[in-house]
Amino acid sequence: MKRGLQAGGSVLLAVLTAPALAGEFDCIIEPSRTVEVRAASEGLIEKIWVDRGDMVKAGQVLVTLDSGVERAATEAARYRSTMQGRIRTGESRVEFATAKYNRREKLAGQSFISLHDRDEALTEKRLAESELVEARDDRRLAEIEHRRLSEQLRLRTIKSPVDGVVVDRLLSAGELADNRDLRKPILRLADIGTLFVEVLMPIEGFGKLALGQTVEVLPEAPVGGRHAAKVTVIDRVHDAASGTFGVRLEMANPGLKLPAGIKCKASIAGVSGRSAVAPVGAGAARQPASPPARATPPAKPL
């Protein structure tokens, strides 16, 4: 009897000192964002450099649109922005008009010419200065126009905004990329450099999670493994019909090794769920001992 009490006390002490159960909750791994790649301006697709399933890096060229006209216009604007002829002509006229005015000013001071002739030379000098300013303004406008056309030309080359994977390719080279048709992008990309894990938890678990808490994610087979994620969103609006609420985890994906769109389990320490995992040996300790068999009474004599 004494030995049985000691064994029961040991089991109770083991249960009380055991770590908190870690509940496993259903979840799904999703890309952090999905991007539909479109052309900023209408044009003929010259080449698509990637295909479905290709890994892409941010800044990588994805699509090139036909840009012969834009290149010619940009080159013309670049040349106009470097032209020096009108400016040098204006500078020469200003230099000549200034020298002429200075001579007329000296002659007028000595009363050799009339004041009208001096004023006429002054007017020519001011007009020459105005023409020089206008020539410089025109070159400045040409530089701005060159930048504008360069930006338009840049838009003819579409680059990836994210690190991820090409989910689908909807157009091909030779087709028209229409920026007004929102129903048909050129490519669809998924950002899997960072993954979102959407967890569905029972209402009983509300208040037991904190933002920034680390959670263990177990992807389904054949991916498998254990990966750390952090709690970034805890829904404040619950679903009364199912008695659940959503939690979003953020998980890094270095090397883009983990795929998105797969089911998983989120193991959250200290939160017991409908599918809580008990520590090894705890189940055997908690099972009640089977009651002793009762003695069968002897049969009565006939």
Side-chain angles (χ1 to χ4, degrees), residues 21 24 59 86 89 117 134 141 158 231-232 246:
L21 299 179
E24 288 190 354
R86 290 189 59 189
T89 300
D117 292 338
E134 184 178 357
L141 287 175
I158 304 173
V231 178
T232 56

Side-chain angles (χ1 to χ4, degrees), residues 4-160:
L5 290 175
Q6 289 178 352
S10 300
V11 171
L12 179 60
L13 181 61
V15 171
L16 292 176
T17 57
L21 299 179
E24 288 190 354
F25 304 91
D26 293 333
C27 60
I28 185 169
I29 301 175
E30 296 180 344
S32 56
R33 56 176 168 163
T34 302
V35 181
E36 292 188 343
V37 177
R38 307 176 189 274
S41 58
E42 184 178 359
L44 195 67
I45 298 176
E46 184 176 282
K47 187 170 184 179
I48 299 179
W49 298 89
V50 294
D51 204 347
R52 177 181 172 183
D54 289 347
M55 298 291 183
V56 296
K57 296 291 185 181
Q60 178 180 338
V61 176
L62 302 178
V63 183
T64 303
L65 302 181
D66 182 64
S67 55
V69 176
E70 288 77 11
R71 291 182 187 278
T74 303
E75 180 62 23
R78 186 200 64 79
Y79 183 76
R80 284 196 298 270
S81 66
T82 59
M83 291 172 59
Q84 299 288 334
R86 290 189 59 189
I87 292 179
R88 290 182 179 178
T89 300
E91 290 173 347
S92 299
R93 287 180 177 176
V94 169
E95 183 179 356
F96 174 76
T98 301
K100 181 179 179 180
Y101 168 72
N102 291 336
R103 289 194 299 270
R104 294 293 178 90
E105 179 70 19
K106 291 180 181 179
L107 293 175
Q110 298 174 2
S111 301
F112 287 113
I113 61 173
S114 64
L115 295 178
H116 175 75
D117 292 338
R118 185 202 62 181
D119 293 342
E120 188 176 277
L122 177 60
T123 301
E124 291 179 1
K125 174 178 174 295
R126 289 176 177 175
L127 288 174
E129 291 173 345
S130 298
E131 289 176 357
L132 177 59
V133 171
E134 184 178 357
R136 288 173 176 169
D137 289 343
D138 288 344
R139 190 177 70 173
R140 178 61 178 165
L141 287 175
E143 292 174 355
I144 296 174
E145 179 67 9
H146 175 239
R147 285 207 303 269
R148 184 183 71 83
L149 292 175
S150 297
E151 288 298 315
Q152 286 187 347
L153 180 61
R154 183 182 62 83
L155 294 177
R156 310 294 287 183
T157 301
I158 304 173
K159 298 181 180 180
S160 174

